[in-house]
């Protein structure tokens, strides 16, 4: 009964900002890691960012370092992805994912690390 629901996607001009949210509902776990992935048409699903549940550890794809920030508010069971200086190449469906495993910088960038996935939210960046 664990469910992830993304929101905040939309159309934005290049150079603009957007904030995605992911609300987690259902059973809580003693250890949970969260991640964001994105997938453009005809391309593989790629890693964007990850965060440990306590927020002490984060990991970012090289393509978004310095522009995107992942954060969380455990009181609201919500994970965020703040996206600044958006580029047309950021256009994709963004997916939120949750893992019952402890955060590991070695494997958080792989899809198999995660146990639950949201349905995705579309982000379109115009030039």
């Amino acid at each position: 009964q664990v469910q992830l629901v993304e929101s905040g996607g939309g159309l934005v001009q290049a150079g603009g900002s957007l904030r995605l949210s992911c609300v987690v509902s259902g059973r809580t776990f003693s250890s949970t890691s969260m991640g964001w992935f994105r997938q453009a048409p005809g391309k593989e699903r790629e890693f964007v960012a990850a965060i440990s549940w306590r927020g002490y550890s984060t990991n970012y794809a090289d393509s978004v370092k310095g522009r995107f920030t992942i954060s969380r508010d455990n009181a609201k069971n919500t994970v965020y992805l703040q996206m600044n200086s958006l580029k047309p190449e950021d256009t994709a469906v963004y997916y939120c994912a949750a893992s019952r495993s402890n955060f590991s910088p070695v494997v958080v960038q792989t899809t198999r690390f995660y146990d639950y996935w949201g349905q995705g939210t579309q982000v379109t960046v115009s030039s």
Side-chain angles (χ1 to χ4, degrees):
Q1 297 190 127
V2 174
Q3 185 176 12
L4 310 181
V5 180
E6 303 98 333
S7 63
L11 176 64
V12 64
Q13 294 182 352
S17 299
L18 210 58
R19 188 192 194 192
L20 305 183
S21 298
C22 174
V23 178
V24 183
S25 62
R27 182 180 176 181
T28 58
F29 302 96
S30 59
S31 181
T32 305
S33 300
M34 302 294 298
W36 286 96
F37 288 74
R38 66 187 182 186
Q39 186 168 26
K43 297 184 178 180
E44 298 180 5
R45 185 170 299 189
E46 67 174 351
F47 170 77
V48 176
I51 188 171
S52 62
W53 196 240
R54 294 293 186 184
Y56 297 134
S57 300
T58 58
N59 193 283
Y60 296 93
D62 289 339
S63 60
V64 306
K65 286 182 179 178
R67 299 189 298 121
F68 291 10
T69 302
I70 187 170
S71 61
R72 83 283 176 273
D73 184 342
N74 290 346
K76 296 182 178 181
N77 295 318
T78 303
V79 178
Y80 305 96
L81 184 67
Q82 178 66 48
M83 305 184 293
N84 298 326
S85 302
L86 284 163
K87 306 174 181 179
E89 50 262 46
D90 293 319
T91 296
V93 175
Y94 283 70
Y95 297 91
C96 178
S99 174
R100 290 173 291 180
S101 301
N102 290 334
F103 186 94
S104 174
V106 179
V107 296
V108 291
Q109 297 188 26
T110 67
T111 58
R112 297 184 66 178
F113 177 73
Y114 301 91
D115 303 292
Y116 309 100
W117 293 83
Q119 294 300 309
T121 184
Q122 177 71 48
V123 172
T124 302
V125 184
S126 62
S127 60

